[in-house]
Every structure is written in C-alpha cells, then in structure tokens.
C-alpha cells in the first residue's frame, strides 16, 4: 500500500468535498464543505504550517488518488484537566471508496511521524465518540491507549461523549 501525506492545494478541493459523506459529516465536520470554504481552510493550514504553529493538515494520498484528510492540532485541550500538558490532537477521515483498507492506520502513523520529526509534541491524542467504532479501531491499531471518557459537544453544539486516546511519540 502506497499511502503518503501531501499539502492540500486549491485544485484538491473538489475531490476533498466529493469525499465527504454522511459519516464524515457525523463524526468530524458537522456539515458538508463548499469549494470556497475548503480552499480557505487549505490556505489557513498552509499558513499555519509555514509559521510552524497551530493546526496543520494534509491530504491522504493512496496510489496517487486523494483518499482522505489528516491534521494535527497542538492547541486542542478538549478532555484535559487544567494542569495536564496538552497532547497534539489528530483528526482524520477516509473517503468512502478507500475505507476498510487500513488507509487511516497508515495516515495516523504518518502524521505521528510528522509531529515527532517537526517537534510539535511528544504525545498524540485521538478524541473519538465511542460509537465511532471504526475510529476506535484505528486508535487501538496504532497503539493509542484509552485515557478517559469526557463530556463534549458536536460541531452543531449538541451534547456528546468522547473518549481520549493517547500515544507517546
């Protein structure tokens, strides 16, 4: 399997938006993206990467086809206690056609390597709703350990419960 991470470009926006299905909206985004909004998001990620701070994201490419998205965010404190050091949060999605082929496992491994190589953090976090069993499997397959369950909210503001998984890098 040839999975790699690449910076997202404006011309990737149509494929990225086409890969958003109901599962992506439910578990990650809270709504379908527009081309203009997606391109603006890509610009913010690129600016953050250039500045060496904030959320940085990449396209997940499998055999030269955009198969999903992964990002790392050192500023997310969801589920942490006030005195706890913040791990680097990882978020990801895989387009429907690429699911079930361990693309997410490969992407999480690659973004963990990126976080370590660029000295962004020493611990990675995956925050996931327990009902998102595919994402729970990814966390476990990648060696993350369950830390705690905590109350949270969806992007639309409705209440949710998340599990926090951590991995020392």
């Amino acid at each position: 399997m040839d999975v790699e991470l690449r910076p997202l470009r404006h011309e990737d926006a149509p494929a990225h938006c086409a890969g958003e299905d109901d599962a992506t909206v439910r578990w990650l985004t809270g709504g379908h993206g527009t081309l203009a909004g997606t391109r603006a998001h890509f610009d913010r990620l690129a600016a953050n990467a250039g500045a060496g701070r904030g959320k940085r994201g990449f396209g997940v490419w499998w055999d030269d086809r955009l198969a999903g998205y992964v990002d790392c965010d050192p500023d997310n404190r969801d589920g942490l206690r006030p005195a706890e050091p913040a791990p680097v949060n990882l978020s990801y999605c895989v387009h429907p056609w690429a699911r079930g082929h361990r693309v997410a496992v490969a992407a999480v491994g690659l973004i963990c390597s990126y976080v370590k190589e660029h000295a962004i953090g020493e611990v990675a976090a995956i925050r996931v709703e327990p009902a998102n069993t595919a994402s729970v499997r990814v966390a476990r397959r990648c060696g993350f350990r369950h830390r705690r369950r905590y109350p949270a909210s969806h992007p639309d503001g409705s209440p949710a419960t998340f599990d926090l998984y951590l991995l020392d890098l």
Side-chain angles (χ1 to χ4, degrees):
M1 171 184 303
D2 185 25
V3 174
E4 63 181 318
L5 305 184
R6 297 182 197 163
L8 290 156
R9 305 162 307 181
H10 281 203
E11 55 265 27
D12 299 325
H16 178 80
C17 290
E20 290 181 334
D21 65 347
D22 290 341
T24 303
V25 169
R26 164 77 171 99
W27 301 121
L28 184 64
T29 63
H32 289 280
T34 65
L35 291 178
T38 298
R39 288 180 179 125
H41 180 65
F42 292 174
D43 290 342
R44 282 188 299 278
L45 295 171
N48 289 349
R53 66 177 181 270
K55 182 186 287 191
R56 290 153 249 192
F58 301 91
V60 176
W61 296 84
W62 179 27
D63 293 334
D64 284 326
R65 185 174 174 196
L66 185 62
Y69 167 85
V70 65
D71 69 38
C72 61
D73 183 357
D75 301 324
N76 185 333
R77 295 212 36 95
D78 288 352
L80 299 176
R81 297 186 176 116
E84 275 184 309
V88 177
N89 189 69
L90 308 181
S91 297
Y92 49 88
C93 68
V94 174
H95 296 171
W97 65 267
R99 291 183 188 143
H101 299 281
R102 295 190 176 243
V103 172
V105 171
V108 167
L110 290 168
I111 196 71
C112 284
S113 294
Y114 175 86
V115 167
K116 186 174 181 176
E117 289 169 16
H118 290 83
I120 298 169
E122 297 177 3
V123 178
I126 292 177
R127 292 164 169 91
V128 60
E129 288 187 72
N132 185 348
T133 56
S135 214
V136 169
R137 278 192 308 274
V138 169
R140 290 182 176 153
R141 284 184 177 144
C142 291
F144 285 72
R145 66 191 185 288
H146 185 265
R147 179 67 177 261
R148 74 175 59 89
R149 185 164 283 177
Y150 65 95
S153 60
H154 290 284
D156 67 5
S158 62
T161 299
F162 280 75
D163 284 334
L164 174 65
Y165 289 87
L166 300 175
L167 177 70
D168 292 328
L169 301 175

